[in-house]
Amino acid sequence: MINIVYKYSSDEEYAIDEDYITCSFDDYRYTFWKEKLELLPKFPSIEAIDLLMISLAVYAADRIILRKEALDGWERSIHLHLPVLNIDLMESNKQLLKQITNFLTGDNWEFTFRERELTLEESMRRVQMTQRRIDTLDINKICMFSGGLDSFIGAIDLLEEKGNDIIFVSHYGGGKGTLEYQKVLKQELVNKYSISENHFFSFYAAPLGGKEDTMRSRSFMFFSHAIAIASCFDRRINLFIPENGYISLNIPLTFSRIGSSSTRTTHPHYLKLFQQLIDNLNLKVTFINPYQFKTKGEMIAECKNKQFLIDNIVNTMSCSHPDLGRMRGESETKHCGTCFPCVIRRAAIKSAGIEDMTTYFDSNFSSGPTARMNFNSYLLGLEKFDAKKAFLDIQMSGPIDSNVELYESLLIRGMAELEGVLIDYYEDNKI
């Protein structure tokens, strides 16, 4: 078990008997308190602040502790010791928090809490937000805005409803590839729908020394930023998480892809557990994925402003490693073309009958052994897929205890989309 003690100041006198790593939030590069919070009607709730800081601590540990050093090369045992504002409430939800993080990252997490007060920065922010002299935002919805194709469709569909009662929340960290796409898409939406840039919140979070690139906990941290913003409103806020249902099921095509290639970012079981946690914390937030039973191709085909989407598809980023191009010495960020999100993107665009103008580093799976291995695993998964057993396959990444027939149909349609693009590269044109 790796013990990590989090402190808000290196001067804090706190220690445990076992060996441990010390991490200070003073050294954590995150911008939540530096963003335009003065536009929000009130200071975030202490429960939302606790959730946010816990998520940042989990994300930092996830990035710092390398999986390759685990006994099995994957599952780590991590014990976080950190201060919270509402210790009684956090203690009562400790097991649920552990259940959420264990499921999301595939690790074994433990939490030990101790009590704290607001930091100087937090206290100053609270005073500033209390004494503001500007108009604040009045919204009913928050939408996650990653810069990906699904989140762009989600933004279009919401804005086509002719309502500006919405905030878009983005996260960036590490490389610059994701941020570039978010900025371009934000400007396109501002120009198209005459929505103020004040409705877009972009947060940076990157722990020092973070080298583990699987980042399975990123969605926990990403969503917690939006929940903190939602807590600033005296009403229930619908939090939209636009992602196609096929990829949210995270079905590994082969057993060799159950690890890093099978994330649970929006898996129904994860969102169910997370919803239970925020309900227990008395946070008035409701998770909504309007595309839970749609494939990515269906999302494109049914977009409420399809032409605007087509004009901007090239400005969306789906690749799981958007900054690899820069590491190869290229001047621009580029889709790799062979990772699973890239292949799902290519399949969806083809299924929707749209010409794919995206630039891919490798569109033919010919760049090397990794690309070829990916291609072969996709083919093997398609060859072994049996639609009659789809009701079993949907349980592979986590329990599905409702809407089984809808998820079963979704998986079959998603596999058909995938086959539609891969068959172009299969030597016999038959899978």
Side-chain angles (χ1 to χ4, degrees):
M1 179 73 70
I2 299 172
N3 289 283
I4 303 179
V5 173
Y6 280 91
K7 300 181 179 182
Y8 281 86
S9 170
S10 56
D11 297 332
E12 181 188 358
E13 295 182 2
Y14 179 84
I16 60 175
D17 293 335
E18 301 103 321
D19 291 337
Y20 64 91
I21 300 169
T22 300
C23 290
S24 173
F25 282 110
D26 284 345
D27 299 326
Y28 201 129
R29 297 169 294 175
Y30 69 100
T31 62
F32 181 79
W33 298 112
K34 297 176 176 60
E35 190 50 54
K36 47 196 176 189
L37 300 185
E38 67 276 3
L39 295 172
L40 304 176
K42 68 174 187 175
F43 188 70
S45 74
I46 61 172
E47 294 78 17
I49 294 173
D50 276 343
L51 181 62
L52 173 63
M53 301 314 293
I54 291 169
S55 76
L56 286 169
V58 168
Y59 181 62
D62 187 24
R63 296 296 315 277
I64 293 169
I65 307 303
L66 300 178
R67 291 192 183 277
K68 67 180 182 180
E69 295 178 359
L71 291 177
D72 63 355
W74 180 258
E75 182 180 344
R76 304 157 299 182
S77 293
I78 303 172
H79 189 161
L80 301 185
H81 305 254
L82 67 164
V84 294
L85 295 165
N86 190 336
I87 190 167
D88 292 339
L89 193 56
M90 289 303 163
E91 282 287 350
S92 66
N93 284 281
K94 184 186 294 185
Q95 290 305 310
L96 179 56
L97 180 61
K98 176 179 176 176
Q99 192 178 357
I100 290 168
T101 50
N102 284 0
F103 178 78
L104 180 62
T105 73
D107 298 302
N108 177 31
W109 294 87
E110 297 288 346
F111 298 90
T112 295
F113 299 123
R114 62 187 187 277
E115 198 165 12
R116 76 172 179 98
E117 302 294 331
L118 289 176
T119 66
L120 178 60
E121 182 178 29
E122 292 166 347
S123 297
M124 291 176 61
R125 258 307 191 180
R126 182 170 63 177
V127 171
Q128 291 169 355
M129 293 178 72
T130 302
Q131 298 177 344
R132 74 175 63 81
R133 294 292 184 271
I134 63 174
D135 292 336
T136 58
L137 295 173
D138 184 20
I139 61 102
N140 296 293
K141 301 185 284 286
I142 294 177
C143 182
M144 308 311 298
F145 188 64
S146 66
L149 179 51
D150 289 8
S151 75
F152 186 55
I153 293 173
I156 292 173
D157 287 352
L158 286 170
L159 290 172
E160 281 289 322
E161 296 174 0
K162 309 302 180 186
N164 286 351
D165 60 335
I166 185 168
I167 285 175
F168 296 97
V169 175
S170 302
H171 162 260
Y172 66 100
K176 297 180 180 179
T178 301
L179 180 61
E180 293 173 353
Y181 284 83
Q182 290 170 357
K183 285 182 175 179
V184 170
L185 294 177
K186 178 185 76 171
Q187 197 57 53
E188 291 292 338
L189 291 171
V190 166
N191 294 342
K192 177 68 176 178
Y193 294 102
S194 301
I195 184 171
S196 169
E197 291 192 15
N198 287 337
H199 288 256
F200 292 82
F201 285 68
S202 180
F203 298 103
Y204 178 80
L208 289 173
K211 296 181 180 179
E212 174 59 52
D213 63 1
T214 51
M215 294 188 287
R216 292 279 291 263
S217 67
R218 180 178 176 274
S219 72
F220 181 46
M221 176 270 298
F222 187 21
F223 298 165
S224 294
H225 277 80
I227 292 167
I229 291 178
S231 74
C232 298
F233 296 87
D234 287 319
R235 68 190 65 147
R236 179 159 291 277
I237 300 294
N238 289 330
L239 177 52
F240 288 84
I241 305 170
E243 179 148 285
N244 73 86
Y246 171 68
I247 207 161
S248 79
L249 285 174
N250 310 126
I251 309 300
L253 292 180
T254 67
F255 283 106
S256 67
R257 304 190 64 82
I258 289 179
S260 62
S261 297
S262 179
T263 61
R264 294 162 172 169
T265 302
T266 57
H267 191 279
H269 182 62
Y270 164 60
L271 292 183
K272 179 180 178 181
L273 293 176
F274 204 164
Q275 183 69 63
Q276 183 180 342
L277 176 63
I278 60 178
D279 289 346
N280 290 355
L281 297 181
N282 301 312
L283 296 167
K284 297 178 181 179
V285 178
T286 301
F287 286 148
I288 297 175
N289 180 1
Y291 311 106
Q292 188 64 71
F293 301 107
K294 300 288 184 182
T295 67
K296 200 181 195 82
E298 290 164 352
M299 286 181 66
I300 295 173
E302 298 170 15
C303 180
K304 293 180 181 178
N305 192 329
K306 192 172 180 181
Q307 188 57 54
F308 180 58
L309 171 64
I310 292 172
D311 293 341
N312 286 281
I313 276 186
V314 295
N315 295 323
T316 64
M317 170 53 67
S318 303
C319 187
S320 59
H321 303 289
D323 287 298
L324 283 181
R326 295 185 188 277
M327 296 174 65
R328 292 189 293 262
E330 299 173 7
S331 60
E332 296 182 359
T333 304
K334 186 183 298 183
H335 287 81
C336 76
T338 63
C339 70
F340 194 55
C342 274
V343 173
I344 293 299
R345 173 194 178 93
R346 295 167 60 185
I349 294 174
K350 180 179 180 181
S351 173
I354 297 171
E355 182 180 3
D356 192 352
M357 302 301 292
T358 308
T359 300
Y360 298 101
F361 172 72
D362 177 8
S363 59
N364 298 308
F365 304 94
S366 59
S367 59
T370 299
R372 195 66 198 175
M373 180 183 68
N374 286 345
F375 178 58
N376 289 336
S377 71
Y378 304 149
L379 287 183
L380 181 60
L382 286 168
E383 289 172 352
K384 291 182 174 295
F385 177 67
D386 183 351
K388 295 179 180 179
K389 297 180 180 179
F391 72 98
L392 296 174
D393 291 341
I394 61 174
Q395 308 286 347
M396 290 181 69
S397 284
I400 299 292
D401 54 14
S402 62
N403 297 310
V404 172
E405 291 184 356
L406 291 176
Y407 284 116
E408 180 184 4
S409 172
L410 170 67
L411 176 58
I412 293 170
R413 301 194 315 274
M415 294 296 283
E417 280 188 14
L418 186 63
E419 180 178 2
V421 73
L422 290 178
I423 200 169
D424 292 343
Y425 306 98
Y426 190 48
E427 57 185 1
D428 296 328
N429 283 339
K430 181 173 67 175
I431 294 177

